[in-house]
Amino acid sequence: MANIEFKGLGRRKTSVAKVKMVPGTGKITINDKTPENYFPNSLVIQEMKVPLTLTNTENSYDIFVKVSGGGFTGQAGAIRLGIARALVCANEEFKKILKAEKTLTRDARVKERKKYGLYGARRRPQFTKR
């Protein structure tokens, strides 16, 4: 029997997550660590697991993630998108559920660049009348 695996790529801000999903018991590994050891915050772990809870597949797949770049919130968002895409590869019926909750949409918000003559992206020098 061939080894069944489903892959999904997720991006958020400057983070990139490569997700590999294999039928199993629900174990999640992020860069060879558990989510509790990798992320400092339990809310971030909940956000990452949203596609699994929507499709009731928390204990159906073992998930292996390689993630790089950005901070932990960006990485969690990238993992979330990667998991959602892998779930759609596993079962096409999940697409309707995940799309309705906007978990298949890549969040395109990134940091705006600093412009010359300004202090930041938009902060202008203070105006003086006299």
Side-chain angles (χ1 to χ4, degrees):
M1 187 176 116
N3 191 5
I4 302 167
E5 71 178 40
F6 307 102
K7 294 182 180 179
L9 181 76
R11 292 190 185 96
R12 168 89 171 92
K13 294 186 175 183
T14 57
S15 303
V16 179
K18 294 173 185 157
V19 177
K20 188 168 78 172
M21 222 167 55
V22 181
T25 59
K27 193 180 82 171
I28 299 176
T29 308
I30 303 167
N31 291 351
D32 301 320
K33 294 181 183 176
T34 63
E36 290 75 23
N37 290 340
Y38 190 77
F39 289 120
N41 190 328
S42 62
L43 289 171
V44 177
I45 296 168
Q46 276 182 322
E47 177 67 23
M48 178 194 76
K49 291 182 180 178
V50 166
L52 296 170
T53 53
L54 288 172
T55 55
N56 294 322
T57 53
E58 291 103 331
N59 301 322
S60 304
Y61 297 102
D62 287 342
I63 298 171
F64 303 96
V65 181
K66 294 288 180 196
V67 66
S68 62
F72 62 87
T73 53
Q75 287 186 349
I79 293 169
R80 176 184 173 188
L81 180 59
I83 290 172
R85 287 180 174 173
L87 281 169
V88 170
C89 288
N91 188 346
E92 199 66 33
E93 294 168 14
F94 291 151
K95 188 170 186 174
K96 189 185 288 185
I97 300 163
L98 294 170
K99 202 169 176 100
E101 294 294 321
K102 295 184 173 60
T103 56
L104 287 174
T105 307
R106 190 231 198 262
D107 192 345
R109 295 176 296 169
V110 293
K111 188 170 181 175
E112 192 175 332
R113 79 173 197 87
K114 183 196 174 299
K115 281 83 170 187
Y116 66 90
L118 305 183
Y119 292 132
R122 298 185 180 197
R123 170 83 169 96
R124 291 189 140 59
Q126 185 172 346
F127 173 75
T128 54
K129 200 169 211 176
R130 286 177 213 28

